[in-house]
Amino acid sequence: MKLRLVCVGKLAEAWQRQASDDYAGRLQRYFPLEIVELKEEKGGRKGDVSGLIKREAERILEKVPSQSMLIVLDERGKNLGSEQLAERLGNEMLHGGRDWCLVIGGPYGLDPAVRQRAELTLSLSKMTFTHQMARIFLLEQLYRSSTILRNEPYHNR
């Protein structure tokens, strides 16, 4: 089973890249991981935001393998605890074996076409985070899920 993370936008700050690289490196001990960064569309504040996210959606969906389970991050999604996410990951490993493709949209969110294609819409919190922070939090939670599945002490339960 492989994990692919499709992200709109790059990590702007060195500390963000460092945190992302750290958790990605840890996670790769458990799963092959590919991070795909897509360029952010510009002109949202003054321009047509719906057109902007539609263009991003086309590029996102091109990067989603057809056989993968698509999971999108959205603040209106389902809130799962770390152990629940680990359980879903473990069930997919045991029963489905499909790769996971996780998508984080840009600053204006995701087009409905991307959310409709998803099998799971996941929320990291009821709070709103930048898409850069969402990437770091998601990588940490995937790493945590991996340690939970292996009964390793990182999760502290």
Side-chain angles (χ1 to χ4, degrees):
M1 183 175 162
K2 298 176 187 172
L3 302 177
R4 174 182 275 196
L5 179 55
V6 178
C7 307
V8 175
K10 294 187 179 284
L11 298 174
E13 304 292 331
W15 65 269
Q16 293 170 335
R17 290 189 298 276
Q18 183 179 8
S20 175
D21 290 347
D22 179 48
Y23 285 114
R26 292 181 192 200
L27 183 56
Q28 286 178 334
R29 288 184 238 155
Y30 303 92
F31 296 98
L33 171 68
E34 178 185 13
I35 298 176
V36 178
E37 287 184 340
L38 302 176
K39 187 176 179 183
E40 265 180 53
E41 292 284 331
K42 299 295 180 194
R45 282 198 188 153
K46 298 175 188 167
D48 175 23
V49 172
S50 64
L52 178 149
I53 62 173
K54 185 178 273 318
R55 290 188 301 276
E56 287 178 347
E58 291 169 4
R59 291 186 294 123
I60 289 168
L61 291 173
E62 287 174 358
K63 299 297 182 186
V64 177
S66 61
Q67 300 302 316
S68 292
M69 178 176 175
L70 177 59
I71 301 169
V72 298
L73 271 68
D74 187 283
E75 63 193 12
R76 295 162 292 196
K78 184 171 187 153
N79 285 303
L80 297 178
S82 298
E83 291 161 345
Q84 293 170 305
L85 181 62
E87 182 179 344
R88 283 188 178 236
L89 184 60
N91 284 338
E92 191 64 43
M93 288 170 55
L94 288 173
H95 303 294
R98 293 179 298 164
D99 296 340
W100 276 16
C101 183
L102 301 109
V103 172
I104 299 172
Y108 299 102
L110 291 167
D111 187 73
V114 178
R115 286 196 301 272
Q116 288 170 356
R117 162 83 167 71
E119 292 182 51
L120 174 63
T121 302
L122 182 64
S123 173
L124 294 173
S125 171
K126 290 184 179 192
M127 291 185 255
T128 302
F129 299 119
T130 65
H131 54 291
Q132 293 96 344
M133 292 302 296
R135 183 188 314 193
I136 296 165
F137 293 148
L138 177 62
L139 287 169
E140 191 279 336
Q141 284 300 299
L142 290 169
Y143 169 67
R144 182 178 297 273
S145 293
S146 301
T147 65
I148 290 170
L149 291 172
R150 294 246 181 125
N151 257 347
E152 295 175 354
Y154 180 78
H155 186 57
N156 294 324
R157 286 223 180 148

